[in-house]
């Protein structure tokens, strides 16, 4: 585990600085900053999935939200990774965070559902939040859900317009309903441009095997096969396995990759960076930050919170200038989703 602790002295100095700046900053900002400096010390714990921080995707996005909360809300933080790829291992991780004084405790990924169900009962006064699952209904459990299908639809529009062969592909990490949402949105977006474009779909593993989220070798092998079969744009919704997809795409002139969760162009190695056309942004960072912010402001209730296009919960990256020719059509598609004229499917 890694801790970021703010001493009482440091808090006092920050409080003085914040008060002196009130006249130059909006009142809402000053109030938000000072909330974390009250009599109650807020300590946030976060439990990443097995890939841990540094995956340049899902976990890193969650970590960015935690970092922002630490900086702007002045909360203390503790970070941990699942002790084992079992419910027992994940329960032990959450239990250790709660026993250490973390409240709220945030679990990154639907694989924590079983552990959340167990540990939330043991610590009824601790608020638990879980990303990508709403199977646990309890007064002290918050489910943070995202409309991945909407963001995937938009990058599907880009894929269809970038393809020169009329054939694109989708690589999913694990064949589960969550990743099916990515697939469904992507296929719908592609076909909104041209119903004749073929979309080849490949999953890297099937439950109870969840290795597809952290096996770059499997991602590379699948992408090589899809590219050899004629696809020239590959969307990877496969967590850490996406790096292997990028390697395969970079070896094929004219081919494009589409990343997921974070802006994967921004954090990619130079060898693959130019071939990442865009990424579907799943704003887990916003979800984590806003949940911590709500807790700081006194919202301690369980329930479900959804992040969609309307609240900047999903989107697409524009870091690579190569996507510029397609942005106008992607924006048009975005507006059609927002005004309700397009209903994006959540299942293939």
């Amino acid at each position: 585990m890694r801790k970021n602790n703010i001493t009482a002295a440091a808090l006092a100095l920050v409080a003085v600085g914040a008060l002196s700046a009130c006249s130059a900053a909006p009142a809402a900002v000053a109030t938000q900053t000072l909330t974390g400096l009250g009599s109650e010390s807020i300590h946030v714990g976060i439990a990443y999935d097995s890939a841990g921080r540094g995956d340049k995707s899902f976990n890193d996005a969650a970590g960015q939200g935690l970092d922002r909360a630490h900086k702007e809300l002045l909360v203390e933080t503790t970070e941990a990774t699942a002790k084992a790829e079992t419910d027992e291992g994940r329960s032990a991780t959450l239990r250790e965070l709660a026993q250490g004084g973390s409240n709220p405790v945030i679990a990154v990924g639907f694989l924590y559902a079983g552990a959340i169900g167990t540990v939330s009962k043991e610590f009824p006064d601790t608020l638990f939040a879980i990303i990508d699952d709403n199977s646990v209904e309890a007064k002290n459990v918050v489910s943070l859900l995202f409309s991945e299908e909407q963001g995937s639809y938009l990058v599907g529009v880009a894929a269809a317009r970038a393809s020169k062969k009329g054939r694109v592909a989708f690589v999913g990490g694990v064949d589960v309903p969550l990743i099916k949402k990515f697939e469904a949105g992507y296929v719908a977006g592609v076909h909104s441009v041209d119903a004749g474009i073929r979309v080849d779909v490949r999953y890297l593993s099937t439950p109870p095997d969840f290795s597809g989220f952290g096996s770059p070798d499997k991602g590379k092998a699948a992408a090589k096969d899809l590219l050899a079969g004629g696809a020239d744009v590959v969307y990877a919704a496969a967590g850490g396995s996406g790096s292997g997809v990028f390697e395969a795409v970079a070896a094929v002139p004219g081919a494009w990759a589409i990343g997921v969760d974070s802006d994967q162009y921004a954090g990619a190695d130079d060898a693959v960076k130019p071939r990442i056309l865009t990424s579907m942004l799943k704003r887990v960072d916003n979800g984590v930050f806003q949940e911590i912010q709500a807790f700081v402001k006194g919202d301690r209730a369980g329930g479900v919170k959804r992040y969609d296009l309307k609240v900047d919960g999903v989107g697409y990256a524009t870091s690579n200038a190569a996507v510029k020719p397609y942005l106008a059509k992607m924006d048009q598609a975005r507006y059609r989703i927002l005004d309700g004229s397009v209903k994006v499917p959540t299942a293939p």
Side-chain angles (χ1 to χ4, degrees):
M1 293 189 180
R2 179 165 66 89
K3 292 188 177 182
N4 294 323
N5 294 318
I6 302 176
T7 65
L11 289 175
L13 289 174
V14 174
V16 171
L19 288 170
S20 65
C22 282
S23 61
V29 173
T31 301
Q32 172 182 303
T33 302
L34 291 174
T35 302
L37 300 175
S39 58
E40 179 184 8
S41 176
I42 294 176
H43 193 131
V44 182
I46 191 166
Y48 300 114
D49 69 18
S50 60
R53 195 155 181 176
D55 66 348
K56 299 181 181 180
S57 185
F58 187 52
N59 288 288
D60 279 0
Q64 289 164 11
L66 185 73
D67 291 344
R68 181 183 171 195
H70 174 63
K71 180 179 180 180
E72 297 183 19
L73 306 178
L74 306 180
V75 298
E76 300 178 12
T77 64
T78 300
E79 301 176 59
T81 301
K83 294 182 177 297
E85 284 297 285
T86 62
D87 279 349
E88 291 76 14
R90 296 183 187 96
S91 293
T93 303
L94 297 179
R95 190 174 293 114
E96 186 171 324
L97 288 169
Q99 288 174 336
S102 292
N103 188 16
V105 173
I106 301 171
V108 183
F110 66 88
L111 290 175
Y112 274 99
I116 284 282
T118 298
V119 182
S120 63
K121 295 176 183 177
E122 300 173 7
F123 298 88
D125 295 327
T126 297
L127 182 68
F128 293 84
I130 181 169
I131 299 170
D132 289 344
D133 180 83
N134 65 341
S135 65
V136 181
E137 296 183 8
K139 293 182 178 180
N140 64 328
V141 175
V142 180
S143 298
L144 307 181
L145 306 180
F146 294 80
S147 296
E148 298 92 351
E149 73 282 358
Q150 293 181 346
S152 296
Y153 183 98
L154 301 179
V155 299
V157 170
R161 295 194 170 276
S163 177
K164 299 295 189 279
K165 297 182 178 181
R167 189 167 178 175
V168 301
F170 173 85
V171 174
V174 182
D175 191 350
V176 292
L178 172 65
I179 306 304
K180 290 289 189 182
K181 289 172 65 180
F182 291 80
E183 177 195 340
Y186 179 65
V187 173
V190 169
H191 287 164
S192 73
V193 176
D194 184 347
I197 295 178
R198 177 170 171 173
V199 184
D200 297 325
V201 176
R202 186 73 56 84
Y203 283 90
L204 303 181
S205 69
T206 301
D209 178 6
F210 290 91
S211 64
F213 288 133
S215 302
D217 56 334
K218 291 183 179 180
K220 186 174 183 177
K224 286 179 67 175
D225 188 47
L226 291 164
L227 292 162
D232 59 355
V233 183
V234 185
Y235 175 29
S241 299
S243 61
V245 173
F246 301 156
E247 288 182 20
V249 169
V252 178
W256 290 108
I258 294 177
V260 75
D261 294 336
S262 300
D263 181 356
Q264 296 197 287
Y265 170 89
D269 296 334
D270 290 343
V272 303
K273 190 172 188 174
R275 307 314 306 167
I276 302 176
L277 180 65
T278 183
S279 296
M280 194 287 280
L281 300 180
K282 180 175 176 178
R283 299 304 304 271
V284 177
D285 56 332
N286 285 348
V288 168
F289 175 81
Q290 289 174 26
E291 180 56 32
I292 297 171
Q293 184 181 54
F295 187 92
V296 168
K297 290 180 177 180
D299 180 0
R300 311 295 165 87
V304 176
K305 297 179 181 179
R306 181 171 293 279
Y307 297 85
D308 57 13
L309 278 177
K310 291 181 180 179
V311 296
D312 196 27
V314 293
Y316 50 85
T318 59
S319 299
N320 191 343
V323 78
K324 187 175 181 180
Y326 316 119
L327 292 180
K329 294 299 183 181
M330 294 170 77
D331 283 342
Q332 289 176 13
R334 177 176 179 274
Y335 295 138
R336 289 196 295 271
I337 294 172
L338 288 173
D339 68 19
S341 59
V342 169
K343 301 292 186 183
V344 184
T346 57

